[in-house]
Amino acid sequence: MIGVGKIKQYSNVLDKPVSKGKQEVSLSAFAFLFSELVQYNQTQVDNIAELERRLEDAGYAVGARVLELLCHRDKGNRRETRLLGILSFVHSTVWKVLFGKVADSLEKGTEHEDEYMISEKELLVNRFISIPKDMGTFNCGAFVAGIVRGVLDGAGFPAVVTAHFVPVEGLLRPRTTILIKFAEEVLKREARLG
Amino acid sequence: MAAIYSLYIINKSGGLIYYKDHGTASRMDTNDTLRLASLWHSMHAISQQLSPVSGCFGVELLEADTFDLHCFQSLTGTKFFVVCEPGTQNMEMLLKYVYELYTDYVLKNPFYEMEMPIRCELFDLNVTQGVQKDRVALLGR
């Protein structure tokens, strides 16, 4: 029995360090599950705005949990308290855990002080989805917008988050932009902190 | 130069759910394509019954003077077939590739209804790219 005693034994399950977790799941399995989620919600609503809201709510629950988990796993139970800190946490840490990569870009809105944008050339949830013409500007990225809202809300940065298709020159497919509009109180607090 | 004329996908009951013209030589109107699709569906079924070999899965290649017709049937009964210039190579590979695209961009799309005509932008886009000649050559590696 070589190696016995090398593995540290923890008598109490609470003493065990939190495992990194399995880092990947099958993309196909996820795509089918997500497709069913959209199809199910479609049967429950009678307009597109409602569908978008339901997807966002589904994402919100994910976001709230992801924040909790990542703060515990990566940050030693600390979380970001500053605006830019939490944004880059979403843009890199959250994105990496959920989608296996950092988001393509994080920008500040040019017209409004309280708006930030996270853009993705090809959002993972939209990889296999073509929106029918009669659905207009509907974007399944609403689910991801919900995740972002869940993370921000949980961390004390209430915001309105929406997903939009933005056409890019020279590319066949539009990219998806997650638009984050922070609540007034967040910016006031941020100004106070200096 | 070998050319691909057109690509068809028919559902398990013989209805045409996707048709794409790639050449200029064999343009057909909608009624003709529907007719060809259901005709092929029945012929395929009959060929299975007529075959002297047991465990036959139906016609895979039909060779005519002016065209070749390659057919691939998936396990669920959806048939993919391509009409091309006689002697075009690597068509089996292309059909498998189209099948792959179908499972990705059609079946994983929440807005697609099974057995109904395919109207998916991403599928269209990828099929067009796949059929382009250099792509076919690439698949034949």
Side-chain angles (χ1 to χ4, degrees), chain A residues 30-45 47-48 50-52 54-56 58 125-126 128-132 135 138-144, chain B residues 108-112:
Chain A
F30 171 76
F32 280 121
L33 184 65
F34 186 70
S35 166
E36 284 304 318
L37 176 80
V38 177
Q39 281 178 58
Y40 169 73
N41 281 308
Q42 237 181 333
T43 63
Q44 307 292 307
V45 300
N47 61 61
I48 289 166
E50 181 79 355
L51 176 62
E52 212 151 9
R54 284 187 73 109
L55 280 180
E56 206 186 306
V125 300
N126 280 337
F128 302 118
I129 296 179
S130 321
I131 305 291
M135 293 192 83
F138 173 75
N139 189 334
C140 287
F143 181 72
V144 179
Chain B
K108 288 173 190 165
N109 185 353
F111 306 107
Y112 174 69

Side-chain angles (χ1 to χ4, degrees), chain B residues 76-89:
Chain B
T76 49
T78 308
K79 277 186 271 295
F80 300 78
F81 66 93
V82 63
V83 180
C84 57
E85 216 173 296
T88 313
Q89 298 294 304

Side-chain angles (χ1 to χ4, degrees), chain B residues 14-40:
Chain B
L16 181 69
I17 54 171
Y18 187 80
Y19 167 72
K20 185 117 199 168
D21 235 331
H22 290 288
T24 42
S26 67
R27 207 165 284 279
M28 289 205 289
D29 69 33
T30 320
N31 281 333
D32 284 339
T33 57
L34 287 168
R35 212 170 288 133
L36 175 69
S38 50
L39 196 68
W40 180 255

Side-chain angles (χ1 to χ4, degrees), chain A:
Chain A
M1 294 267 276
I2 303 158
V4 167
K6 284 214 173 141
I7 302 160
K8 211 173 164 191
Q9 297 289 325
Y10 295 98
S11 54
N12 189 343
V13 70
L14 293 173
D15 295 336
K16 272 192 202 170
V18 185
S19 76
K20 271 293 239 180
K22 212 178 154 201
Q23 299 289 305
E24 276 173 18
V25 292
S26 151
L27 176 60
S28 285
F30 171 76
F32 280 121
L33 184 65
F34 186 70
S35 166
E36 284 304 318
L37 176 80
V38 177
Q39 281 178 58
Y40 169 73
N41 281 308
Q42 237 181 333
T43 63
Q44 307 292 307
V45 300
D46 39 36
N47 61 61
I48 289 166
E50 181 79 355
L51 176 62
E52 212 151 9
R53 197 190 59 75
R54 284 187 73 109
L55 280 180
E56 206 186 306
D57 284 351
Y60 184 90
V62 175
R65 286 164 171 79
V66 160
L67 173 73
E68 199 87 57
L69 175 68
L70 292 183
C71 284
H72 189 49
R73 203 190 263 165
D74 290 359
K75 297 206 161 260
N77 271 336
R78 296 152 69 88
R79 65 170 168 77
E80 298 291 341
T81 53
R82 300 303 298 267
L83 193 76
L84 286 179
I86 194 78
L87 279 171
S88 75
F89 172 75
V90 171
H91 165 265
S92 41
T93 316
V94 171
W95 234 256
K96 221 169 189 164
V97 165
L98 294 177
F99 308 121
K101 65 186 271 293
V102 173
D104 288 342
S105 74
L106 169 65
E107 293 159 70
K108 192 172 166 57
T110 44
E111 285 166 33
H112 302 279
E113 276 293 296
D114 56 350
E115 286 183 352
Y116 289 84
M117 295 172 295
I118 295 177
S119 297
E120 272 279 353
K121 247 195 238 100
E122 194 188 40
L123 201 61
L124 188 96
V125 300
N126 280 337
R127 171 84 57 90
F128 302 118
I129 296 179
S130 321
I131 305 291
K133 293 245 171 0
D134 59 335
M135 293 192 83
T137 57
F138 173 75
N139 189 334
C140 287
F143 181 72
V144 179
I147 295 178
V148 173
R149 189 165 69 90
V151 172
L152 293 177
D153 220 19
F157 292 83
V160 177
V161 187
T162 44
H164 307 274
F165 280 121
V166 179
V168 189
E169 254 179 78
L171 280 180
L172 277 173
R173 300 270 306 155
R175 67 175 183 184
T176 297
T177 295
I178 310 279
L179 184 68
I180 304 165
K181 193 175 171 65
F182 285 104
E184 216 177 300
E185 75 224 48
V186 174
L187 291 159
K188 276 191 188 147
R189 183 182 65 205
E190 194 61 22
R192 211 167 44 237
L193 289 172

